[in-house]
Amino acid sequence: MIATADVNLLQALRRCRERQPVKRGATPYSVVLEDAPFSLRRYHLPDCNPAGQPLLFVYSTINRPDLLDLTEHRSMIRPLLNAGFDIYLLDWGYPLDADSQLDLEDYLDGFLHLAVDHIRSCRKVDAVNAIGICQGGTLLACYAALWPDRIRHLVLLGTPLDFHIDPTTLNRLADALAQPSGITGNIPGQLLSSSFAALRPTDLFIRRYELLPLVARQTETLDEFLCMEAWMYDCPDQPAVMFWRFVTRFYQENALVSGDLTIGGKLVRLDHITASVLNIYAEEDHLIPPAAARSLADFIPSDRYGELACRGGHLGLFLGSMSRNQVIPAIVNKLAG
Amino acid sequence: MTTSTDPLAAWLRWFEQQQASTGTKETGGDQSTPEPWSKLLDESLGRFVHTLSNASDWQQCLAAHVNTAMQDAARLATSVTNPLAHEADWLKHFSAFRAPPHGNKDASLATELFGHVCTWPALGLAAADDGDWQAFQEAVPAFQGAGERYSEILFTMMATALTNWQKALESADSPPTDIDFIRQQWLDALESAWQTMLKNPEHTRRLRELNAAIDQLRTSGTRMANGMFRALGIPTREDLLGTQRRLQQVRRKINIMDQSTELAMLREDVAMLREDLAMLRRETAAANHGNKT
C-alpha cells in the first residue's frame, strides 16, 4: 500500500543504506577559535576570500547547526556568503560528562563573548551583526542586552522570548519536568530527540516514512531526506547545570521577560538592547508560537525594531522556498541598511 | 558504511527475515504483490473490511470491534503497570531486607533484644543511614502509584482515539472499503487524541508527578548505593561531580587570567604608545621652536 510505481519500502531502505554515510554541511569552513566543547567556524567559498561585513550565526544548543548548511541547495550560509558576507558560526559542540557544570555564564560571558571579541578584533569593527536561531536567538538576545555595544544588527529567527504567553505542547512538557533533587549527569541527547518526536508522533514515526518510497526515486531528494533524518536525531547531550537553569528560569519562571534573570551577576534587561532588530517568525510554528517571539516588540523602540511574519512552520525558516524567497532577502536587506 | 548496530541495517535484516519466513518474492516495484511487512497489516485490515461489509448492521459491528480494541488497550495499560509493580515488589523486598530488624517475639531473647536495639531512635550516622532507607522505602510505592496514574491518562487518550476513529468511519452511509482510508483515519484520530492529551493540564500534572517520583527513587537509591561503592573503593557519581565542579572552577579562573593577561598586555601597549606620542610631541615642539628661531 505504500509502494510507488518504481520503488517499494524495502528497496527504498536498501537505497538509504547505499547512500550512507550522508554528508551534512556543503560549504567549507575553518575553525578559527576553540575552547572545547565550543568552537567558532568561519565559512569560505573555494574561490572567494571573504571580505564583506562579518555576520555571526548563533544556533541552538539542542541540535547541530548543520541545519543551516545541509546541502548546497538547502543552505542559509551559502547565499549569504554569495551576497558578500563574512560568515562566522558559533558551534556549541558535543558537551561531555566533564562539561556537566557549564552554565549560562560559560555560554554567554564565556564563549559567545570570546567569539564576538575575536571577530571585532580580526575584522576591526566595534560591533558585529549577528543572527540567533531558535534557542540560540534567546541566548543572543540575552547577550545583546548584557553587552549592548557589541551587537550592531540583531536578527532573530524563530526565537522564543516570552515562554508563558502562548504555551505550546513543548512548554507543557517543560512544565512537567522536575529538577532533580539529587546528583545528576548531563541530559542525554537521545532523550531530547525522543521528546521532540513525541510532540507529533504519528507524523514523525509513521507518515514521514510513508513517503520514503516516493523520496527514494530521486537520489538528490533521498540524500536531502537522509540529511534531515541524520540532523533530527543528532541532539548533543546537554550540560546538566545549563539545561536545568534554562528550563526553570526561562520555561517555568519566564524570567527573561519578567526582568528577573541574572547572568554573571548582571540583570538581563531586554530594553537594554541597543542593536537594530529584525525579528523573523513562522506563523504556523508548533514549537515557537508567534506571540512568544513577538514579545520583543514590547522592549525595543519601534524605530529600531522590525518584524517579518512568514507563512509556514519552524523548519521552513531555515530550509526551502520560504527561507530562499523571504528570510534571506530580508536579512540581506536589513544588514545592508 | 553501515555497522551491525546501525538501525537501518537492523531494519533491513528484519525485512529480509520477514520476506524469507513468509516466502514473499522481491516485488520489483510491482504494487500487486504486497511487501512482507505490510502483508499482515493489509490482511487484517482486509478481514476487518470484509466483516463490516457482510454484517447485517455494519455500524453495530464497528462498535463491537472498537469495544474489543478498548479492552485490548486496557490490557495494554495494565501490562505497562504490571512490570512497574514487579519492579516495585523487588525494590520493596530489597529495602525490607536492608531495613533495621524489628523486635520478634518468637525469636530468642538475644535476637529480640537485638531487634529492639536496632529500632532504637538513633542519632548521627545511624539516623542518616536509616533516613536514606526510609526515603527509599517511601519512594518505591510513590513511583508505582505515579506510574499507574500516568498509564490511566494514556488509556483515556487511547479510548478517545478509538471513539473518534469510530465516529469518523460511521459518518459515511456505507461501510468503509478502502483500507488506506481506514488507516489514515486511525492515524488522524490517534494524533488528535495525543495532542489533546499533551494540552491537558492533568497530563502535565501526572507527568510531573511521575518525573518527581522517578527522581526521588533515583536519588534515594543512589544515596544507598554510594555507601556500598565507597566501601569497595569505587568512585561514585557524587565523586565525579565534585571533580567536575573543581574542573569548571579552574576553567573559569583560566579564562579570567587570560583576560587579565590580555588587559595587562594592552596596558603595556598603551603605555608604549603614550611614550611614543610624548616623544613625537617633544620632537614636533623642538622642530617648531627651531623654525621660529
Side-chain angles (χ1 to χ4, degrees), chain B residues 23-142:
Chain B
T24 317
K25 289 177 185 170
E26 286 282 336
T27 64
D30 175 10
Q31 285 189 75
S32 59
T33 314
E35 292 184 80
W37 74 275
S38 63
K39 195 177 167 197
L40 294 174
L41 184 61
D42 285 358
E43 278 175 1
S44 73
L45 281 174
R47 279 196 301 276
F48 177 63
V49 165
H50 180 74
T51 310
L52 288 187
S53 303
N54 290 302
S56 53
D57 183 342
W58 70 271
Q59 286 174 327
Q60 201 175 13
C61 179
L62 175 64
H65 268 88
V66 168
N67 192 36
T68 308
M70 292 250 196
Q71 288 167 11
D72 289 345
R75 266 197 296 278
L76 189 68
T78 315
S79 72
V80 171
T81 53
N82 275 346
L84 273 182
H86 179 73
E87 295 293 324
D89 284 346
W90 180 83
L91 290 168
K92 269 181 203 162
H93 175 76
F94 180 66
S95 60
F97 168 74
R98 173 58 184 80
H102 294 273
N104 181 354
K105 290 196 171 71
D106 298 329
S108 67
L109 180 63
T111 311
E112 191 188 340
L113 282 176
F114 177 70
H116 285 306
V117 166
C118 286
T119 55
W120 188 260
L123 297 173
L125 283 177
D129 192 34
D130 284 354
D132 289 345
W133 281 100
Q134 187 69 33
F136 184 61
Q137 278 193 297
E138 285 168 12
V140 173

Side-chain angles (χ1 to χ4, degrees), chain A residues 8 99 106 198-199 202 210, chain B residues 27 183 191 194-195 251-252:
Chain A
N8 66 21
D99 301 313
D106 302 300
L199 295 176
T202 57
E210 283 182 341
Chain B
T27 64
R183 210 174 56 88
E191 184 69 34
W194 181 266
Q195 293 302 328
R251 273 179 175 177
R252 285 174 191 149

Side-chain angles (χ1 to χ4, degrees), chain A residues 25 27 29-33 39-43 55-56 64-66 69 87-91 111 119:
Chain A
T27 311
Y29 64 84
S30 322
V31 172
V32 292
L33 192 65
S39 62
L40 181 67
R41 301 176 184 176
R42 189 182 187 193
Y43 284 86
L55 176 59
L56 171 67
R64 299 292 297 143
D66 310 348
D69 188 43
I87 306 286
Y88 291 83
L89 184 143
L90 205 154
D91 179 0
F111 199 72
I119 298 168

